PDB file of all heavy atoms in Angstrom:
ATOM      1  N   LEU A   1     -11.544  -1.025  -4.480  1.00 98.00           N
ATOM      2  CA  LEU A   1     -12.200  -2.087  -3.720  1.00 98.00           C
ATOM      3  C   LEU A   1     -11.725  -2.116  -2.268  1.00 98.00           C
ATOM      4  O   LEU A   1     -12.524  -2.334  -1.343  1.00 98.00           O
ATOM      5  CB  LEU A   1     -11.949  -3.437  -4.381  1.00 98.00           C
ATOM      6  CG  LEU A   1     -12.654  -3.670  -5.720  1.00 98.00           C
ATOM      7  CD1 LEU A   1     -12.099  -4.919  -6.407  1.00 98.00           C
ATOM      8  CD2 LEU A   1     -14.158  -3.798  -5.533  1.00 98.00           C
ATOM      9  N   LEU A   2     -10.436  -1.884  -2.054  1.00 98.00           N
ATOM     10  CA  LEU A   2      -9.888  -1.983  -0.699  1.00 98.00           C
ATOM     11  C   LEU A   2     -10.094  -0.720   0.130  1.00 98.00           C
ATOM     12  O   LEU A   2     -10.254  -0.801   1.354  1.00 98.00           O
ATOM     13  CB  LEU A   2      -8.397  -2.314  -0.756  1.00 98.00           C
ATOM     14  CG  LEU A   2      -8.014  -3.681  -1.310  1.00 98.00           C
ATOM     15  CD1 LEU A   2      -6.500  -3.830  -1.347  1.00 98.00           C
ATOM     16  CD2 LEU A   2      -8.654  -4.819  -0.516  1.00 98.00           C
ATOM     17  N   THR A   3     -10.091   0.447  -0.502  1.00 98.00           N
ATOM     18  CA  THR A   3     -10.045   1.696   0.272  1.00 98.00           C
ATOM     19  C   THR A   3     -11.304   2.544   0.203  1.00 98.00           C
ATOM     20  O   THR A   3     -11.473   3.429   1.035  1.00 98.00           O
ATOM     21  CB  THR A   3      -8.853   2.564  -0.184  1.00 98.00           C
ATOM     22  OG1 THR A   3      -9.081   3.041  -1.521  1.00 98.00           O
ATOM     23  CG2 THR A   3      -7.548   1.764  -0.150  1.00 98.00           C
ATOM     24  N   PHE A   4     -12.183   2.317  -0.769  1.00 98.00           N
ATOM     25  CA  PHE A   4     -13.400   3.134  -0.841  1.00 98.00           C
ATOM     26  C   PHE A   4     -14.212   2.959   0.440  1.00 98.00           C
ATOM     27  O   PHE A   4     -14.174   1.907   1.088  1.00 98.00           O
ATOM     28  CB  PHE A   4     -14.237   2.720  -2.043  1.00 98.00           C
ATOM     29  CG  PHE A   4     -13.924   3.476  -3.307  1.00 98.00           C
ATOM     30  CD1 PHE A   4     -12.706   4.110  -3.487  1.00 98.00           C
ATOM     31  CD2 PHE A   4     -14.852   3.547  -4.336  1.00 98.00           C
ATOM     32  CE1 PHE A   4     -12.408   4.792  -4.640  1.00 98.00           C
ATOM     33  CE2 PHE A   4     -14.571   4.230  -5.511  1.00 98.00           C
ATOM     34  CZ  PHE A   4     -13.357   4.858  -5.667  1.00 98.00           C
ATOM     35  N   PRO A   5     -14.987   3.968   0.810  1.00 98.00           N
ATOM     36  CA  PRO A   5     -15.801   3.869   2.036  1.00 98.00           C
ATOM     37  C   PRO A   5     -16.921   2.838   1.897  1.00 98.00           C
ATOM     38  O   PRO A   5     -17.325   2.467   0.793  1.00 98.00           O
ATOM     39  CB  PRO A   5     -16.361   5.283   2.197  1.00 98.00           C
ATOM     40  CG  PRO A   5     -16.345   5.868   0.824  1.00 98.00           C
ATOM     41  CD  PRO A   5     -15.145   5.290   0.153  1.00 98.00           C
ATOM     42  N   ARG A   6     -17.426   2.417   3.011  1.00 97.00           N
ATOM     43  CA  ARG A   6     -18.472   1.402   3.077  1.00 97.00           C
ATOM     44  C   ARG A   6     -19.691   1.795   2.238  1.00 97.00           C
ATOM     45  O   ARG A   6     -20.276   0.960   1.545  1.00 97.00           O
ATOM     46  CB  ARG A   6     -18.870   1.210   4.545  1.00 97.00           C
ATOM     47  CG  ARG A   6     -20.071   0.314   4.760  1.00 97.00           C
ATOM     48  CD  ARG A   6     -20.558   0.395   6.205  1.00 97.00           C
ATOM     49  NE  ARG A   6     -21.783  -0.370   6.377  1.00 97.00           N
ATOM     50  CZ  ARG A   6     -21.813  -1.634   6.752  1.00 97.00           C
ATOM     51  NH1 ARG A   6     -20.698  -2.269   7.011  1.00 97.00           N
ATOM     52  NH2 ARG A   6     -22.965  -2.254   6.877  1.00 97.00           N
ATOM     53  N   ARG A   7     -20.076   3.077   2.287  1.00 97.00           N
ATOM     54  CA  ARG A   7     -21.287   3.497   1.575  1.00 97.00           C
ATOM     55  C   ARG A   7     -21.164   3.310   0.073  1.00 97.00           C
ATOM     56  O   ARG A   7     -22.172   3.217  -0.641  1.00 97.00           O
ATOM     57  CB  ARG A   7     -21.600   4.969   1.890  1.00 97.00           C
ATOM     58  CG  ARG A   7     -20.534   5.941   1.439  1.00 97.00           C
ATOM     59  CD  ARG A   7     -20.847   7.372   1.834  1.00 97.00           C
ATOM     60  NE  ARG A   7     -19.738   8.256   1.534  1.00 97.00           N
ATOM     61  CZ  ARG A   7     -19.511   8.777   0.339  1.00 97.00           C
ATOM     62  NH1 ARG A   7     -20.354   8.521  -0.674  1.00 97.00           N
ATOM     63  NH2 ARG A   7     -18.472   9.568   0.127  1.00 97.00           N
ATOM     64  N   LEU A   8     -19.912   3.236  -0.439  1.00 98.00           N
ATOM     65  CA  LEU A   8     -19.687   3.028  -1.859  1.00 98.00           C
ATOM     66  C   LEU A   8     -19.287   1.592  -2.171  1.00 98.00           C
ATOM     67  O   LEU A   8     -18.946   1.274  -3.311  1.00 98.00           O
ATOM     68  CB  LEU A   8     -18.616   3.992  -2.375  1.00 98.00           C
ATOM     69  CG  LEU A   8     -18.993   5.476  -2.381  1.00 98.00           C
ATOM     70  CD1 LEU A   8     -17.823   6.324  -2.867  1.00 98.00           C
ATOM     71  CD2 LEU A   8     -20.232   5.731  -3.253  1.00 98.00           C
ATOM     72  N   GLY A   9     -19.323   0.721  -1.176  1.00 98.00           N
ATOM     73  CA  GLY A   9     -19.039  -0.689  -1.418  1.00 98.00           C
ATOM     74  C   GLY A   9     -17.606  -1.109  -1.215  1.00 98.00           C
ATOM     75  O   GLY A   9     -17.245  -2.239  -1.535  1.00 98.00           O
ATOM     76  N   GLY A  10     -16.755  -0.224  -0.696  1.00 98.00           N
ATOM     77  CA  GLY A  10     -15.358  -0.563  -0.474  1.00 98.00           C
ATOM     78  C   GLY A  10     -15.125  -1.158   0.907  1.00 98.00           C
ATOM     79  O   GLY A  10     -16.013  -1.171   1.763  1.00 98.00           O
ATOM     80  N   CYS A  11     -13.899  -1.628   1.111  1.00 98.00           N
ATOM     81  CA  CYS A  11     -13.538  -2.273   2.384  1.00 98.00           C
ATOM     82  C   CYS A  11     -13.145  -1.290   3.474  1.00 98.00           C
ATOM     83  O   CYS A  11     -12.894  -1.687   4.618  1.00 98.00           O
ATOM     84  CB  CYS A  11     -12.387  -3.255   2.158  1.00 98.00           C
ATOM     85  SG  CYS A  11     -12.814  -4.666   1.126  1.00 98.00           S
ATOM     86  N   THR A  12     -13.022  -0.015   3.139  1.00 97.00           N
ATOM     87  CA  THR A  12     -12.713   1.036   4.111  1.00 97.00           C
ATOM     88  C   THR A  12     -11.394   0.780   4.830  1.00 97.00           C
ATOM     89  O   THR A  12     -11.257   1.041   6.028  1.00 97.00           O
ATOM     90  CB  THR A  12     -13.852   1.179   5.148  1.00 97.00           C
ATOM     91  OG1 THR A  12     -15.110   0.985   4.501  1.00 97.00           O
ATOM     92  CG2 THR A  12     -13.862   2.572   5.765  1.00 97.00           C
ATOM     93  N   LEU A  13     -10.411   0.250   4.104  1.00 97.00           N
ATOM     94  CA  LEU A  13      -9.104  -0.018   4.710  1.00 97.00           C
ATOM     95  C   LEU A  13      -8.214   1.206   4.549  1.00 97.00           C
ATOM     96  O   LEU A  13      -7.724   1.500   3.459  1.00 97.00           O
ATOM     97  CB  LEU A  13      -8.460  -1.248   4.059  1.00 97.00           C
ATOM     98  CG  LEU A  13      -9.211  -2.561   4.218  1.00 97.00           C
ATOM     99  CD1 LEU A  13      -8.466  -3.695   3.524  1.00 97.00           C
ATOM    100  CD2 LEU A  13      -9.434  -2.890   5.697  1.00 97.00           C
ATOM    101  N   GLU A  14      -8.013   1.918   5.624  1.00 95.00           N
ATOM    102  CA  GLU A  14      -7.203   3.137   5.592  1.00 95.00           C
ATOM    103  C   GLU A  14      -5.729   2.798   5.727  1.00 95.00           C
ATOM    104  O   GLU A  14      -5.353   1.751   6.234  1.00 95.00           O
ATOM    105  CB  GLU A  14      -7.638   4.081   6.708  1.00 95.00           C
ATOM    106  CG  GLU A  14      -9.086   4.537   6.596  1.00 95.00           C
ATOM    107  CD  GLU A  14      -9.495   5.426   7.757  1.00 95.00           C
ATOM    108  OE1 GLU A  14      -8.707   5.513   8.737  1.00 95.00           O
ATOM    109  OE2 GLU A  14     -10.580   6.020   7.701  1.00 95.00           O
ATOM    110  N   GLY A  15      -4.894   3.728   5.280  1.00 95.00           N
ATOM    111  CA  GLY A  15      -3.454   3.586   5.467  1.00 95.00           C
ATOM    112  C   GLY A  15      -2.697   3.071   4.269  1.00 95.00           C
ATOM    113  O   GLY A  15      -1.460   3.024   4.289  1.00 95.00           O
ATOM    114  N   PHE A  16      -3.396   2.686   3.193  1.00 96.00           N
ATOM    115  CA  PHE A  16      -2.703   2.210   2.003  1.00 96.00           C
ATOM    116  C   PHE A  16      -2.113   3.376   1.222  1.00 96.00           C
ATOM    117  O   PHE A  16      -2.677   4.474   1.169  1.00 96.00           O
ATOM    118  CB  PHE A  16      -3.656   1.426   1.090  1.00 96.00           C
ATOM    119  CG  PHE A  16      -3.736  -0.036   1.414  1.00 96.00           C
ATOM    120  CD1 PHE A  16      -4.838  -0.549   2.077  1.00 96.00           C
ATOM    121  CD2 PHE A  16      -2.698  -0.894   1.077  1.00 96.00           C
ATOM    122  CE1 PHE A  16      -4.918  -1.899   2.393  1.00 96.00           C
ATOM    123  CE2 PHE A  16      -2.760  -2.237   1.383  1.00 96.00           C
ATOM    124  CZ  PHE A  16      -3.872  -2.750   2.034  1.00 96.00           C
ATOM    125  N   GLU A  17      -0.986   3.127   0.607  1.00 95.00           N
ATOM    126  CA  GLU A  17      -0.311   4.118  -0.242  1.00 95.00           C
ATOM    127  C   GLU A  17       0.050   3.465  -1.573  1.00 95.00           C
ATOM    128  O   GLU A  17       0.664   2.393  -1.601  1.00 95.00           O
ATOM    129  CB  GLU A  17       0.944   4.629   0.452  1.00 95.00           C
ATOM    130  CG  GLU A  17       1.686   5.701  -0.324  1.00 95.00           C
ATOM    131  CD  GLU A  17       2.923   6.178   0.391  1.00 95.00           C
ATOM    132  OE1 GLU A  17       3.096   5.844   1.597  1.00 95.00           O
ATOM    133  OE2 GLU A  17       3.746   6.872  -0.246  1.00 95.00           O
ATOM    134  N   ASN A  18      -0.358   4.104  -2.662  1.00 95.00           N
ATOM    135  CA  ASN A  18      -0.042   3.586  -3.992  1.00 95.00           C
ATOM    136  C   ASN A  18       1.371   3.970  -4.403  1.00 95.00           C
ATOM    137  O   ASN A  18       1.876   5.045  -4.068  1.00 95.00           O
ATOM    138  CB  ASN A  18      -1.017   4.132  -5.035  1.00 95.00           C
ATOM    139  CG  ASN A  18      -2.408   3.558  -4.886  1.00 95.00           C
ATOM    140  OD1 ASN A  18      -3.298   4.216  -4.363  1.00 95.00           O
ATOM    141  ND2 ASN A  18      -2.592   2.333  -5.344  1.00 95.00           N
ATOM    142  N   ASN A  19       2.001   3.081  -5.157  1.00 92.00           N
ATOM    143  CA  ASN A  19       3.281   3.403  -5.800  1.00 92.00           C
ATOM    144  C   ASN A  19       4.318   3.857  -4.773  1.00 92.00           C
ATOM    145  O   ASN A  19       5.069   4.798  -4.998  1.00 92.00           O
ATOM    146  CB  ASN A  19       3.063   4.492  -6.861  1.00 92.00           C
ATOM    147  CG  ASN A  19       4.206   4.608  -7.838  1.00 92.00           C
ATOM    148  OD1 ASN A  19       4.834   3.619  -8.199  1.00 92.00           O
ATOM    149  ND2 ASN A  19       4.495   5.823  -8.260  1.00 92.00           N
ATOM    150  N   ARG A  20       4.364   3.162  -3.656  1.00 93.00           N
ATOM    151  CA  ARG A  20       5.263   3.538  -2.547  1.00 93.00           C
ATOM    152  C   ARG A  20       6.693   3.104  -2.873  1.00 93.00           C
ATOM    153  O   ARG A  20       6.953   1.936  -3.169  1.00 93.00           O
ATOM    154  CB  ARG A  20       4.786   2.865  -1.267  1.00 93.00           C
ATOM    155  CG  ARG A  20       5.794   2.854  -0.116  1.00 93.00           C
ATOM    156  CD  ARG A  20       6.015   4.252   0.473  1.00 93.00           C
ATOM    157  NE  ARG A  20       6.927   4.166   1.610  1.00 93.00           N
ATOM    158  CZ  ARG A  20       6.535   4.066   2.876  1.00 93.00           C
ATOM    159  NH1 ARG A  20       5.246   4.033   3.172  1.00 93.00           N
ATOM    160  NH2 ARG A  20       7.411   4.012   3.852  1.00 93.00           N
ATOM    161  N   LYS A  21       7.619   4.043  -2.807  1.00 92.00           N
ATOM    162  CA  LYS A  21       9.019   3.719  -2.993  1.00 92.00           C
ATOM    163  C   LYS A  21       9.578   3.121  -1.713  1.00 92.00           C
ATOM    164  O   LYS A  21       9.455   3.699  -0.636  1.00 92.00           O
ATOM    165  CB  LYS A  21       9.820   4.970  -3.368  1.00 92.00           C
ATOM    166  CG  LYS A  21      11.292   4.684  -3.641  1.00 92.00           C
ATOM    167  CD  LYS A  21      12.029   5.961  -4.047  1.00 92.00           C
ATOM    168  CE  LYS A  21      13.503   5.682  -4.326  1.00 92.00           C
ATOM    169  NZ  LYS A  21      14.230   6.908  -4.733  1.00 92.00           N
ATOM    170  N   VAL A  22      10.183   1.954  -1.834  1.00 92.00           N
ATOM    171  CA  VAL A  22      10.806   1.283  -0.691  1.00 92.00           C
ATOM    172  C   VAL A  22      12.302   1.205  -0.954  1.00 92.00           C
ATOM    173  O   VAL A  22      12.751   0.561  -1.910  1.00 92.00           O
ATOM    174  CB  VAL A  22      10.231  -0.137  -0.484  1.00 92.00           C
ATOM    175  CG1 VAL A  22      10.974  -0.854   0.632  1.00 92.00           C
ATOM    176  CG2 VAL A  22       8.736  -0.066  -0.183  1.00 92.00           C
ATOM    177  N   VAL A  23      13.071   1.887  -0.126  1.00 93.00           N
ATOM    178  CA  VAL A  23      14.527   1.836  -0.231  1.00 93.00           C
ATOM    179  C   VAL A  23      14.989   0.523   0.412  1.00 93.00           C
ATOM    180  O   VAL A  23      14.679   0.245   1.574  1.00 93.00           O
ATOM    181  CB  VAL A  23      15.182   3.037   0.470  1.00 93.00           C
ATOM    182  CG1 VAL A  23      16.700   2.929   0.405  1.00 93.00           C
ATOM    183  CG2 VAL A  23      14.711   4.327  -0.183  1.00 93.00           C
ATOM    184  N   LEU A  24      15.674  -0.269  -0.363  1.00 91.00           N
ATOM    185  CA  LEU A  24      16.049  -1.601   0.095  1.00 91.00           C
ATOM    186  C   LEU A  24      17.243  -1.545   1.049  1.00 91.00           C
ATOM    187  O   LEU A  24      18.145  -0.720   0.884  1.00 91.00           O
ATOM    188  CB  LEU A  24      16.382  -2.491  -1.103  1.00 91.00           C
ATOM    189  CG  LEU A  24      15.245  -2.678  -2.118  1.00 91.00           C
ATOM    190  CD1 LEU A  24      15.712  -3.524  -3.296  1.00 91.00           C
ATOM    191  CD2 LEU A  24      14.023  -3.313  -1.468  1.00 91.00           C
ATOM    192  N   ASP A  25      17.210  -2.418   2.034  1.00 89.00           N
ATOM    193  CA  ASP A  25      18.354  -2.527   2.943  1.00 89.00           C
ATOM    194  C   ASP A  25      19.418  -3.413   2.300  1.00 89.00           C
ATOM    195  O   ASP A  25      19.299  -3.835   1.149  1.00 89.00           O
ATOM    196  CB  ASP A  25      17.908  -3.059   4.306  1.00 89.00           C
ATOM    197  CG  ASP A  25      17.316  -4.467   4.239  1.00 89.00           C
ATOM    198  OD1 ASP A  25      17.433  -5.117   3.180  1.00 89.00           O
ATOM    199  OD2 ASP A  25      16.727  -4.913   5.244  1.00 89.00           O
ATOM    200  N   ALA A  26      20.452  -3.698   3.042  1.00 88.00           N
ATOM    201  CA  ALA A  26      21.571  -4.475   2.481  1.00 88.00           C
ATOM    202  C   ALA A  26      21.104  -5.839   1.979  1.00 88.00           C
ATOM    203  O   ALA A  26      21.527  -6.309   0.915  1.00 88.00           O
ATOM    204  CB  ALA A  26      22.671  -4.636   3.531  1.00 88.00           C
ATOM    205  N   THR A  27      20.203  -6.468   2.729  1.00 82.00           N
ATOM    206  CA  THR A  27      19.692  -7.776   2.303  1.00 82.00           C
ATOM    207  C   THR A  27      18.911  -7.647   1.001  1.00 82.00           C
ATOM    208  O   THR A  27      19.097  -8.438   0.065  1.00 82.00           O
ATOM    209  CB  THR A  27      18.787  -8.377   3.397  1.00 82.00           C
ATOM    210  OG1 THR A  27      19.533  -8.537   4.585  1.00 82.00           O
ATOM    211  CG2 THR A  27      18.224  -9.719   2.947  1.00 82.00           C
ATOM    212  N   GLY A  28      18.054  -6.654   0.959  1.00 82.00           N
ATOM    213  CA  GLY A  28      17.258  -6.450  -0.254  1.00 82.00           C
ATOM    214  C   GLY A  28      18.117  -6.128  -1.453  1.00 82.00           C
ATOM    215  O   GLY A  28      17.863  -6.602  -2.567  1.00 82.00           O
ATOM    216  N   ARG A  29      19.145  -5.300  -1.245  1.00 85.00           N
ATOM    217  CA  ARG A  29      20.033  -4.954  -2.355  1.00 85.00           C
ATOM    218  C   ARG A  29      20.798  -6.173  -2.841  1.00 85.00           C
ATOM    219  O   ARG A  29      21.011  -6.356  -4.042  1.00 85.00           O
ATOM    220  CB  ARG A  29      21.001  -3.846  -1.929  1.00 85.00           C
ATOM    221  CG  ARG A  29      20.318  -2.502  -1.692  1.00 85.00           C
ATOM    222  CD  ARG A  29      21.337  -1.368  -1.621  1.00 85.00           C
ATOM    223  NE  ARG A  29      22.274  -1.555  -0.505  1.00 85.00           N
ATOM    224  CZ  ARG A  29      22.059  -1.096   0.727  1.00 85.00           C
ATOM    225  NH1 ARG A  29      20.930  -0.455   1.003  1.00 85.00           N
ATOM    226  NH2 ARG A  29      22.966  -1.273   1.677  1.00 85.00           N
ATOM    227  N   THR A  30      21.196  -7.023  -1.907  1.00 83.00           N
ATOM    228  CA  THR A  30      21.918  -8.236  -2.300  1.00 83.00           C
ATOM    229  C   THR A  30      21.023  -9.168  -3.102  1.00 83.00           C
ATOM    230  O   THR A  30      21.437  -9.741  -4.116  1.00 83.00           O
ATOM    231  CB  THR A  30      22.441  -8.960  -1.050  1.00 83.00           C
ATOM    232  OG1 THR A  30      23.331  -8.097  -0.345  1.00 83.00           O
ATOM    233  CG2 THR A  30      23.166 -10.241  -1.429  1.00 83.00           C
ATOM    234  N   LEU A  31      19.781  -9.317  -2.657  1.00 79.00           N
ATOM    235  CA  LEU A  31      18.863 -10.239  -3.317  1.00 79.00           C
ATOM    236  C   LEU A  31      18.390  -9.744  -4.676  1.00 79.00           C
ATOM    237  O   LEU A  31      18.083 -10.540  -5.559  1.00 79.00           O
ATOM    238  CB  LEU A  31      17.646 -10.490  -2.417  1.00 79.00           C
ATOM    239  CG  LEU A  31      17.914 -11.275  -1.127  1.00 79.00           C
ATOM    240  CD1 LEU A  31      16.701 -11.231  -0.208  1.00 79.00           C
ATOM    241  CD2 LEU A  31      18.281 -12.710  -1.455  1.00 79.00           C
ATOM    242  N   SER A  32      18.347  -8.429  -4.851  1.00 78.00           N
ATOM    243  CA  SER A  32      17.757  -7.886  -6.087  1.00 78.00           C
ATOM    244  C   SER A  32      18.741  -7.154  -6.978  1.00 78.00           C
ATOM    245  O   SER A  32      18.432  -6.878  -8.137  1.00 78.00           O
ATOM    246  CB  SER A  32      16.632  -6.916  -5.718  1.00 78.00           C
ATOM    247  OG  SER A  32      17.175  -5.775  -5.057  1.00 78.00           O
TER     248      SER A  32
END
């Protein structure tokens, strides 16, 4: 829905990445 092209009914939002690994910083590591 978010990334398909307009002709197929999508929002054409480029730049999204699925299942992206985010390495947490010190704050994130403390919180989680």
Side-chain angles (χ1 to χ4, degrees):
L1 290 168
L2 294 178
T3 68
F4 270 22
R6 173 191 175 92
R7 63 183 173 82
L8 293 178
C11 294
T12 323
L13 298 180
E14 299 178 350
F16 272 104
E17 182 180 348
N18 290 102
N19 197 35
R20 165 70 177 265
K21 183 178 180 179
V22 175
V23 177
L24 301 177
D25 62 11
T27 300
R29 292 194 298 271
T30 300
L31 292 169
S32 66

